Each structure stands twice: as C-alpha cells, then as structure tokens.
Amino acid sequence: MFENLWNESDASAFVLSHSKNKINADVALRVYSSRLIGSEKNLVMHGGGNTSCKTIVQDVFGKDTRVLCVKGSGWDLGAIEAAGMPAVRLDPLLDLRGLEVLSDEDMVNVQRSNLMDQNSPNPSVETLLHAFLPHNVIDHTHATPFLSLANLPNAEAIMQEIFGSKLVSVPYVMPGFELAKVAAEIAEQNPEAHGLLLLKHGYFTWGENAKQSYDRLIDHTNLVESWFSSQRRNVPCVSLNHSNLEKQRVCHKLRKALIQVSDEPSPSFVFDWVDDERLISQIDGLILSGITDRGVATPDHVIRIKAKPLVLSRSMQSGGEKEILKALEIFVNDYTEYFNTWSAVSVSPKKMLNPLPKVVWLEGMGLIGIGGSMSEAKTITDLAIQNVHVISDGEAAGGFYPVKDKDLFDLEYWALEQAKLGKASPPPLQGKVAIITGAGGAIGSAIVKIFEKSGAEVIAVDMNAEAISSRGFLSRTVQKKVDLTNIGQISKLMEEILQQFGGVDILVSNAGSAPEGSLIEMDEECLRRSFEVNFFAHFRLAQAVGKIFIAQGNAGQMLFNISKQAVNPGKNFGAYGLPKSTLMFLVKQLALEFGEYGVRVNGVNADRIKSGILNESVIARRARARGVDEDNYMRANLLGKEVEADHVAEAFLGLALSVRTTGHVITVDGGNIEASLR
Ligand code: ZN
C-alpha cells in the first residue's frame, strides 16, 4: 500500500523557500507534491508519470499571463525543482484544440515557442493533455496497480466496481495530440469524475490544489492495489537453489552469444541479475503458463526493455553454448520480422533499433537486465520487474492484454519517445567493466579517474581500503579490498565481479611495491616477496581474467604497469627490476597466446612519478645523491618536465583505445635514452 506522505510544515517550508526566489505558492506546492509522488518508485517508475499546474505569472512587461507549468523532459519527479517544470503560455496551447490534426513536430514547436523561458527543457510529451484538462493541478502516473488494471480485458467493468462514477475510462489512443483531445472531451462529459483510466496506458487525477490531487492519487492507487491483492493467487515461493557457479556459467554463455550476434565492433554488455524468490516464482509461473511474449505495460517500458524478454528454460541454461546462441538468434529474427512488418506500413521511414534483447527471463533463476552501462541495466531491471508484477497481477485477475502489433510498433518507434533516450554519443569506454589494481595509490587512482571519465564501470582494487575510499571516486565505482598475493582472494574477486556485472572487459594490473637494497646483500626471502607482488600477482590476475575472456568470447584487454626498471636498472632496485623485467616478458608472452582470441595485452613503462613508491623522502635522498635539488631531480629528462601520475594514466587510456595494438610497451618518462625501447 502507498503511504500519504503530505506534511503541512514541509509544504509551508517549500512555499517559503520558493517565495524567496519569486516562485509562487502554486508552483512551490506543485514541486513539493511532485517530489512526494516521485519518491515512490512504484508510482512513477523511471519517468513513467508527469505532473502539472495552471497558474498566473508575470511576463517581462509585468502583465499577468496564464501558464501551464508541466514536468520537463529529462527531470526525475523525485528530485524535481521549479526549473524542471517549464512554464508554457496556456492560451496558445488551448487554441490548438480547435485543430483537426497536428503533427508531432508542430506540437513540439508550438510548446517550445510558447515557453516563458527559452532555456527550459522540452515540456513533457503529454503536455497537451495537461493543458486541455480544465483542472488546476493534474497528476499522471503509470503506477503499478493502475497498469495491471489498465491492461485487463474487462478493465472498465472492474474500474466501475472499484470507483463507481469517480473514474472514467479513455479508450487506447497513442499519446500526443489526439489522446489529449479525446481525454479532455471525456473529462468534460463527466464533470463529477476525479480521474481517468487510460486503457493500456495509465491514470490521471486532478484537484483544486496540489494536496487534493495528491490525496486522490494515493487513495485511488490504494483502492486498486487492494482490489488486486484480493485477487492474487498464492504462488508457492520457490527457494533459491542455484549456485554462484551455475550463474557464472550462464553469464559466460549468454555474454558469448550476445557478443557473437552483435554487429557492433566492441559492444558493451553489463548484466544486472535479480533473483529474489518472489520474482523467480512469478517468472516461472508465467513461463509455465506460456505467457512470455504478451508485451509490456507502457510506452516507457517498450523503449527501454523491448516488448518481450529472451526466455531461457532450464534445459537451455544447462545445455551447451549453442542452445543459448540459438535462442538468441530466434529472438533477433523475430524482432527483425516485427520491425519489417510494421515499418512497411509506417507513414515515415524508420531505422531498426538494436534487435538484441534487453531482458532475459531465466527459469528458476530470475531475470537479467542487459545494459550498455550499469545504470542502464538497473533501469531495465526496475522496469522489467515492474512488468512481471503487472503481468502476474493481471493474469490472476482476468488477463494481461497490452497494446500490440502496429500500436506497439508506433510507440517503440515514436520519435518523441526515442528522444527521451538521448542521442549524445557515449564516452569511449561506456559500459566496459575494468578492474584497476593499486587503485589507492597515485598512479592507480589517476587511472581510475580517467577510466571513470571515459565511461568505464570500474572495480577499484587495493589492499588498503582507506586508501581507495579517500580518493573521491564516483559512487558507481566499486571498491574492493584485496590482497593480490592471495590466490583465494583473487578467485573471490572474480566471482564477485561476475555476480555484479556479468563479465569483465579490461584488466589494468597496476599494483606494485619497490623494495630497496643491493642484491649482493639481499635476503632471498625479500626477493621472493617482491616477485609475489611485482610478478605473480600480475600473472594470477592475468590468468583469472584471461579465462573469463575466453569463456565469454570477449575480445578484452590487459594492461600492465611495468617500470623503466625492467630495461634500465637503478642502483639498489634489483629486487624491483627482476620481477618487472619478467613482467615485461609476460606482456609479450600473453600477447602471443591471447592474440587468437582477439585479446590485447600491453604495458606502460613509467619513471620518476611522485607516488607511494617514490615519496618525498625518497625524492629528497635521491636528489641529494645526484647533487641536484628536488625539482631538478624530478625534471631530469629529455623534455625537462616533471612527469605526473595523470600522464601515466593517459598512456593507459591511450593503449586501451588503440584497437590494433598488442604486445606493446609505451614509455612515459619525459624522455630517457637509456631506458628507451628499440
Ligand atoms: Zn503516460
């Protein structure tokens, strides 16, 4: 059930704080109740809803102007501000009602050209519906219970049973100008109604003010929710009985099949796997009853999760790689056929979107959202889970019958909906899952930051948890405390990464430490420890990640922080140079062995970078030994400029993006002929 969160003192505080910015009380309260609605995911899942109010503001001449303040595109209701509710002059919008037809382009143009502030975001695609309805405050949601109701075969009868004449239904019409006209007419013919049920779409309510509309929204939604809860069958809850190993196998096979079928040169697939018991039993129930391709509840669903999931039965999961590949190829063929059928009768020419599935239902194991980034994958699972709940509730109460065929196609390929997904080209490593070790150090943290900026999903690894958490990484970056000299901890790390992301694309093996001392005097144990950190840790990570690359058919890559020490020995750094020169050989050997899998292996030789290894006191000591000051010591290279951690990080990124380079080592040392390669 949904709680009514309205609080008078919070509401007054909103009015007061907005009045200081010359924003009137209508808008302030509109922002307040929009946030209350937006804070409850099952009311407005990822943009599934919009709100408005009609009020009077002064234009630049001080003249009172009637405006509609309506949710702007790109704003989340849960965090909306007045700037996210652009004011559009109301009278020109109302004039549009007299037209017979209005194209989407003209509609958007009229809306934009009547904005009070041209810097505002585009008003919602449902602006005209808000404008044509006569009420002061209007709330529109795609709340889960209303979606179940709106997609029932006998939705109107059930609506009347629950609401009597307080709610009226609107037949399915594609959102936009036509729906706005139809809905406004129906509302006007039923002045006693407090809201509309838009069949196969969602719900509208309204009020004299923000509070009245919000109160109705919560009451109405709870009435529908309690009706469905009385219909729900008791689905026996399955118990989770799949192992992490089984999940890993499925991830490997599924990712491999996706990579094989994708026609992009370097596709990104991030998995968000949800396997709670209630969800599994609902999905299994739907698979068992053959309800796997009924469709999705709203336009917002179809553009993000596609009309149906890829379904993997138990036998497909446990079968060979070919089974999953075959299921995926059938999915892509079906989608292509759906596109060809309906684009042929479409008014304007359409270009087929990526035909790969966004959601996978796994019998007995839950569902996976497949995104081009983790945040997309999480949005997809949220909507996919909501869709499962809507279908299950609908099926228990008469059936789930959403829009299909041409109507579905028109929604999926509606330019105004596609615009919500944004067209900006993604950063170069978008959705690439990258493990970066030694992330708490100077060079490691610089690499994490440049990879974050390039869109990668980063797993920042260090043996010192405080060192990682103090670096100010993005919240989406996952922090892991791992001792890389411990093979058990490396396996656990890989297991956790597969659980969380479904796979891995890039290894940046950077962690190291530099023991000092002459080899003649050195205790052998000290040399062995250095090999553990500076060679074997790299080797074990490469083996673990390499096995995943091969299992997933993933043309991933490995990058190693070597050191100039590998080719140009420094006094007393023998115990560091020996494993580092072995590491350089490892880069070449791995490049040779992994080439046939498309996996690239490269390294960076950096020198004289301020870091944990070369700290202030070491710098001071070495500068003294060479008879120069510290600044000159740091700049003692051909370019005469200090080399910083960011320069090294740029070299790692450069290698990561050099798609035809493998077995290569880049030097980042400001120029040093003795340490130069070839
Ligand atoms: Zn809607």
Side-chain angles (χ1 to χ4, degrees):
M1 297 302 260
F2 299 91
E3 202 187 330
N4 189 321
L5 302 168
W6 189 281
N7 175 305
E8 274 309 328
S9 67
D10 287 355
S12 315
F14 257 74
V15 172
L16 187 67
S17 68
H18 281 76
S19 72
K20 288 177 187 149
N21 298 323
K22 300 202 165 49
I23 293 164
N24 74 30
D26 290 345
V27 177
L29 291 171
R30 175 67 285 185
V31 171
Y32 172 64
S33 77
S34 298
R35 283 204 200 167
L36 296 184
I37 296 166
S39 69
E40 175 53 70
K41 213 157 134 184
N42 279 311
L43 287 177
V44 285
M45 191 77 72
H46 296 289
N50 39 63
T51 58
S52 72
C53 71
K54 298 181 181 80
T55 186
I56 290 174
V57 296
Q58 273 81 46
D59 69 7
V60 74
F61 303 104
K63 198 178 124 208
D64 281 353
T65 310
R66 285 211 301 164
V67 293
L68 173 77
C69 294
V70 62
K71 186 192 160 256
S73 188
W75 281 81
D76 177 356
L77 278 184
I80 202 152
E81 292 167 23
M85 307 217 63
V88 197
R89 286 182 189 83
L90 185 57
D91 294 328
L93 295 183
L94 295 178
D95 288 345
L96 293 173
R97 221 181 140 181
L99 295 174
E100 277 304 314
V101 283
L102 177 67
S103 71
D104 290 339
E105 292 76 16
D106 287 342
M107 178 176 85
V108 171
N109 195 31
V110 172
Q111 286 169 191
R112 269 220 77 83
S113 54
N114 283 292
L115 285 169
M116 295 299 283
D117 177 353
Q118 287 298 314
N119 295 319
S120 301
N122 271 337
S124 159
V125 298
E126 285 168 312
T127 293
L128 289 189
L129 186 33
H130 286 268
F132 294 174
L133 289 171
H135 317 88
N136 285 342
V137 172
I138 295 170
D139 289 315
H140 169 45
T141 71
H142 300 165
T144 310
F146 269 108
L147 292 183
S148 301
L149 178 62
N151 291 300
L152 286 179
N154 53 343
E156 282 173 287
I158 305 297
M159 177 194 76
Q160 264 158 26
E161 182 190 323
I162 302 173
F163 292 101
S165 59
K166 284 281 169 268
L167 225 61
V168 275
S169 73
V170 177
Y172 178 76
V173 178
M174 174 142 159
F177 176 63
E178 207 191 325
L179 173 63
K181 280 179 57 155
V182 172
E185 230 162 80
I186 292 175
E188 281 164 3
Q189 286 159 7
N190 296 275
E192 75 289 356
H194 290 172
L196 302 172
L197 175 69
L198 274 55
L199 296 177
K200 301 183 194 301
H201 175 162
Y203 152 79
F204 270 84
T205 189
W206 47 70
E208 285 298 308
N209 51 48
K211 180 163 191 317
Q212 188 180 44
S213 185
Y214 177 73
D215 287 344
R216 284 174 177 169
L217 180 138
I218 296 296
D219 290 349
H220 293 170
T221 312
N222 280 334
L223 282 172
V224 181
E225 170 59 24
S226 62
W227 186 85
F228 274 100
S229 70
S230 71
Q231 305 290 312
R232 255 168 227 147
R233 297 178 206 129
N234 243 342
V235 190
C237 238
V238 294
S239 53
L240 288 180
N241 61 359
H242 50 273
S243 66
N244 284 344
L245 196 66
E246 281 172 277
K247 282 176 77 174
Q248 277 176 33
R249 286 201 193 108
V250 173
C251 281
H252 289 341
K253 286 186 273 192
L254 181 59
R255 236 174 167 241
K256 188 168 191 175
L258 287 164
I259 290 167
Q260 262 175 283
V261 174
S262 171
D263 52 10
E264 287 171 44
S266 174
S268 292
F269 299 108
V270 181
F271 290 0
D272 183 32
W273 193 321
V274 183
D275 57 356
D276 75 70
E277 292 168 355
R278 175 170 171 235
L279 183 70
I280 294 176
S281 54
Q282 283 184 324
I283 288 176
D284 287 3
L286 295 176
I287 293 176
L288 198 68
S289 341
I291 304 161
T292 56
D293 58 356
R294 277 287 170 77
V296 286
T298 73
D300 282 309
H301 285 80
V302 76
I303 59 166
R304 290 194 170 88
I305 68 172
K306 282 205 155 60
K308 60 177 187 175
L310 171 69
V311 180
L312 298 179
S313 66
R314 272 201 183 80
S315 70
M316 287 173 183
Q317 293 164 29
S318 56
E321 284 173 6
K322 287 213 174 73
E323 292 255 4
I324 291 183
L325 183 63
K326 204 171 100 197
L328 188 62
E329 283 169 346
I330 292 172
F331 184 96
V332 169
N333 285 341
D334 287 355
Y335 186 84
T336 311
E337 201 184 300
Y338 151 84
F339 175 81
N340 290 337
T341 306
W342 301 114
S343 67
V345 292
S346 174
V347 191
S348 56
K350 303 286 179 194
K351 189 171 171 286
M352 189 170 83
L353 300 165
N354 188 335
L356 293 173
K358 296 281 188 188
V359 178
V360 184
W361 285 2
L362 301 117
E363 192 184 2
M365 292 174 95
L367 69 76
I368 299 177
I370 306 171
S373 66
M374 185 44 100
S375 91
E376 193 201 354
K378 286 196 179 296
T379 301
I380 288 170
T381 42
D382 280 347
L383 288 165
I385 291 167
Q386 186 194 32
N387 205 49
V388 169
H389 293 331
V390 169
I391 301 175
S392 299
D393 274 359
E395 282 298 314
F400 173 70
Y401 294 94
V403 289
K404 55 182 186 152
D405 302 338
K406 176 80 166 52
D407 285 335
L408 181 71
F409 178 85
D410 286 346
L411 282 178
E412 187 173 356
Y413 283 84
W414 188 25
L416 298 187
E417 277 292 330
Q418 286 299 331
K420 288 186 186 173
L421 300 179
K423 285 198 184 66
S425 58
L429 295 179
Q430 171 97 305
K432 297 292 178 222
V433 180
I435 304 172
I436 299 174
T437 71
I443 294 176
S445 63
I447 302 172
V448 170
K449 284 181 181 167
I450 205 166
F451 272 58
E452 283 176 338
K453 215 180 269 175
S454 306
E457 305 291 346
V458 177
I459 298 103
V461 175
D462 203 292
M463 63 189 300
N464 180 343
E466 290 88 66
I468 330 178
S469 61
S470 66
R471 290 289 182 174
F473 297 146
L474 295 181
S475 60
R476 72 160 197 266
T477 288
V478 174
Q479 304 182 7
K480 296 277 183 195
K481 177 180 189 284
V482 181
D483 175 0
L484 296 169
T485 62
N486 180 323
I487 185 73
Q489 291 195 21
I490 290 182
S491 324
K492 187 165 159 274
L493 173 69
M494 293 305 143
E495 204 174 290
E496 287 168 0
I497 291 170
L498 288 174
Q499 290 286 322
Q500 210 164 345
F501 295 93
V504 53
D505 301 290
I506 303 172
L507 165 66
V508 182
S509 193
N510 160 71
S513 76
E516 280 187 67
S518 72
L519 282 184
I520 297 165
E521 299 293 331
M522 184 162 288
D523 179 10
E524 189 183 308
E525 198 39 48
C526 173
L527 182 61
R528 283 183 186 278
R529 269 202 309 276
S530 179
F531 263 89
E532 279 299 317
V533 177
N534 294 310
F535 175 72
F536 282 105
H538 295 279
F539 167 71
R540 288 177 190 132
L541 270 170
Q543 242 187 2
V545 170
K547 281 178 181 161
I548 297 174
F549 285 168
I550 292 171
Q552 301 196 336
N554 177 5
Q557 54 174 315
M558 303 182 196
L559 297 162
F560 295 89
N561 192 350
I562 310 175
S563 165
K564 76 107 196 181
Q565 191 67 20
V567 290
N568 179 219
K571 214 173 169 212
N572 284 339
F573 278 95
Y576 185 54
L578 279 164
K580 285 293 192 180
S581 57
T582 316
L583 179 61
M584 192 156 105
F585 185 83
L586 181 74
V587 167
K588 297 188 179 207
Q589 188 69 32
L590 292 177
L592 176 69
E593 292 187 17
F594 278 109
E596 66 177 288
Y597 301 104
V599 174
R600 299 189 291 114
V601 187
N602 294 295
V604 173
N605 273 4
D607 188 26
R608 218 166 278 190
I609 318 295
K610 254 183 219 148
S611 66
I613 290 175
L614 184 64
N615 57 34
E616 298 290 340
S617 75
V618 180
I619 293 170
R621 184 150 37 84
R622 292 215 209 147
R624 233 178 297 124
R626 283 176 174 72
V628 292
D629 66 19
E630 284 139 35
D631 182 46
N632 275 309
Y633 171 75
M634 292 308 286
R635 292 196 287 113
N637 56 46
L638 296 178
L639 298 175
K641 292 196 163 84
E642 182 179 341
V643 186
E644 290 163 18
D646 285 342
H647 299 118
V648 184
E650 280 163 17
F652 275 101
L653 180 64
L655 283 171
L657 299 175
S658 302
V659 294
R660 289 293 181 271
T661 299
T662 189
H664 182 65
V665 178
I666 282 189
T667 302
V668 188
D669 59 4
N672 174 355
I673 290 302
E674 289 74 29
S676 64
L677 297 168
R678 282 192 255 187

